[in-house]
Amino acid sequence: MLRDWGSRDKAFIALTARIRARLLEIAGVGASHVAVPVQGSGTFAVEATLGTLIRPDAKTLVLVNGAYGKRMVAILERMGREAAVLEWPEDRPVEPQALDAALAAEAAIRHVAVVHCETTSGILNPVEAVAEVVARHDRGLIIDSMSAFGAIPFAGAEVEFDALAASANKCFEGVPGVGFAIVAKDVLAAAAGNAHSLSLDLHAQWRGFEANGQWRFTPPTHVLAAFDQALAEHADEGGVAGRYRRYSENRRILVEGMRGLGFETLLGDEVQAPIIVTFLMPSTPGFDFQLFYDGLAERGFVIYPGKLTVADSFRIGCIGRLGPDEMRQALAAVEVTLKSMGVGVLETVSR
Ligand SMILES: *Cc1c(COP(=O)(O)O)cnc(C)c1O
C-alpha cells in the first residue's frame, strides 16, 4: 500500500486479473462464472449485483432474518424493483421448506436473495439447501456472502447460484474499499441494460475488464494492492479450510470463556457461525454497557454494540488477524473490566 500504482499500467492490470482469478478459485467455480470487483464497501457490491441481475420488471423474494436481509429489501425498494419478503426471527435460520411453498405459490417471483452468515446475530443460513430449492423452481439465487465467503466452506461447483457478493475486508482480512460479485457468466451476459446506475452496473464493469483488463473508473489502487496481499496470505493459511479452522477455534475459546464468566449466547451452538457471536446483555446490577465497552476499548479490544430487535445484546467478532492468544487476552480484558465495574461472576441475564 506504500507504493503508488498506475491504474492503467500493466502491473496493475495483472494485479486485477490475479485477484479476479483467485476469487473464482476460492468459490470453487471455473469458466462458468466471472468475478467482478466494484469500488466501495460491501453494500455497493450488493446493490450493484441486485441492480444488474434483476430486470426492472422482475419480482424478487428476499429471505430475511436480520438487518442485512432488510438492507437488500431497502435496496430493491429504492431502485423500484418489486420485493416480497419471507421473514424469520433473528435467532432462527431461514427455512428452505417455507421457501419451497412460497415459490410454488407465486410464479411471478424470478429471483431469491439470501444472506449467508447474517452478521446481525452471527447465524449461519443454510444456503446450500436454499439453492437446491431455488434451482428446483428454476429461479435465480443471489447470495450476500459478505461475512462468510473466504472462511465458510462453499462448494460453488455443486451449488446453483446466479451471484454471490462479498468484500475485501471481512474474512479476507483486507482493508475496506472494494467489494466484488461472483456471477454466472450466462446470467451476466444476459443482464445488459438492466442496471439502474452507471457506476454500479456490473455488466458494464465486466465488459470493461474483458475489453482491456482495466477498471472503467478510478479503482482504489492501494486497497486492491492490499487485497492482493491478503489473498496471498489467505492461500498461505490453507485457504478457506485454514481460515475456517482458525475462526472456529477463536469462536470456541470466546464462547467457552464468556460462558465461564456467566454470559449467555443468543444462538444455539448448532447455528452459530464462527464469524461473530451475539451475547445477551447481562441484567446483573452494576453492569453498564457503555462502561464495559469503554473498559475493553481502553485495553485494546473494540467490540460491537448489538443490532438485534429480539433482545438487548452486544457482539464480539471472531474474524480478522486474531488467534487463540488474542482471544484469551480479550477474555482477560472482559474479566478485568467486569471487576472494575464491581461486577463479579454474572449469574443472571435477561432475555
Ligand atoms: C458487512 C456486511 C455487508 C456490507 O456492509 P458494508 O458496511 O457496506 O461493508 C453486507 N452484508 C453483510 C451480511 C455484512 O456482514
Side-chain angles (χ1 to χ4, degrees), residues 14-26:
L15 184 149
T16 297
R18 193 158 59 234
I19 290 172
R20 292 183 61 215
R22 182 68 194 132
L23 290 174
L24 292 181
E25 276 175 41
I26 292 167

Side-chain angles (χ1 to χ4, degrees), residues 40-44 46 68-69 71 115-120 144-148 167 169-170:
S41 81
T43 303
F44 292 59
V46 173
Y68 292 101
R71 187 175 294 176
V115 179
H116 196 171
C117 168
E118 215 345 318
T119 326
T120 309
D144 171 354
S145 191
M146 205 67 57
S147 62
S167 71
N169 59 287
K170 295 258 171 91

Side-chain angles (χ1 to χ4, degrees), residues 4-283:
D4 280 332
W5 294 79
S7 65
R8 306 204 180 278
D9 181 68
K10 67 178 190 306
F12 191 75
I13 289 173
L15 184 149
T16 297
R18 193 158 59 234
I19 290 172
R20 292 183 61 215
R22 182 68 194 132
L23 290 174
L24 292 181
E25 276 175 41
I26 292 167
V29 292
S32 58
H33 288 68
V34 290
V36 188
V38 64
Q39 298 93 331
S41 81
T43 303
F44 292 59
V46 173
E47 187 156 350
T49 304
L50 295 172
T52 303
L53 297 195
I54 300 170
R55 283 173 37 166
D57 60 354
K59 183 169 182 174
T60 303
L61 177 63
V62 186
L63 310 186
V64 175
N65 60 342
Y68 292 101
K70 286 190 183 137
R71 187 175 294 176
M72 289 201 282
V73 176
I75 290 170
L76 290 169
E77 285 174 349
R78 181 62 71 96
M79 293 188 308
R81 305 286 205 273
E82 206 183 339
V85 175
L86 211 49
E87 190 161 1
W88 292 263
E90 290 153 330
D91 55 358
R92 277 184 33 207
V94 306
E95 292 161 317
Q97 310 89 294
L99 170 64
D100 196 6
L103 293 181
E106 206 177 344
I109 293 167
R110 298 315 313 157
H111 306 269
V112 173
V114 67
V115 179
H116 196 171
C117 168
E118 215 345 318
T119 326
T120 309
S121 63
I123 203 166
L124 189 64
N125 280 323
V127 290
E128 288 83 0
V130 165
E132 190 274 315
V133 171
V134 174
R136 188 149 40 77
H137 287 274
D138 199 23
R139 320 293 168 86
L141 178 64
I142 295 171
I143 305 168
D144 171 354
S145 191
M146 205 67 57
S147 62
F149 188 63
I152 304 286
F154 178 78
E158 286 141 43
V159 181
E160 248 183 84
F161 67 105
D162 279 359
L164 169 162
S167 71
N169 59 287
K170 295 258 171 91
C171 297
F172 289 113
E173 304 182 356
V175 303
V178 72
F180 57 88
I182 291 168
V183 194
K185 202 186 275 179
D186 55 343
V187 171
L188 190 56
N194 283 348
H196 60 300
S197 157
L198 182 72
S199 55
L200 295 180
D201 182 344
L202 285 190
H203 176 89
Q205 186 94 336
W206 170 53
R207 289 285 187 226
F209 289 126
E210 297 297 305
N212 58 10
Q214 299 181 15
W215 293 67
R216 286 182 302 158
F217 311 125
T218 304
T221 47
H222 302 67
V223 170
L224 288 156
F227 192 21
D228 187 40
Q229 176 63 23
L231 287 170
E233 292 177 18
H234 180 266
D236 286 348
E237 193 177 351
V240 174
R243 206 141 280 191
Y244 181 74
R245 215 176 299 123
R246 175 160 58 87
Y247 292 171
S248 296
E249 182 65 358
N250 287 350
R251 172 190 54 186
R252 186 188 66 75
I253 292 167
L254 175 68
V255 168
E256 280 182 17
M258 291 292 280
R259 283 181 180 155
L261 292 167
F263 288 96
E264 200 180 305
T265 58
L266 171 78
L267 301 174
D269 294 346
E270 68 290 351
V271 294
Q272 172 68 64
I275 304 295
I276 190 167
V277 180
T278 299
F279 294 97
L280 299 175
M281 200 66 83
S283 57

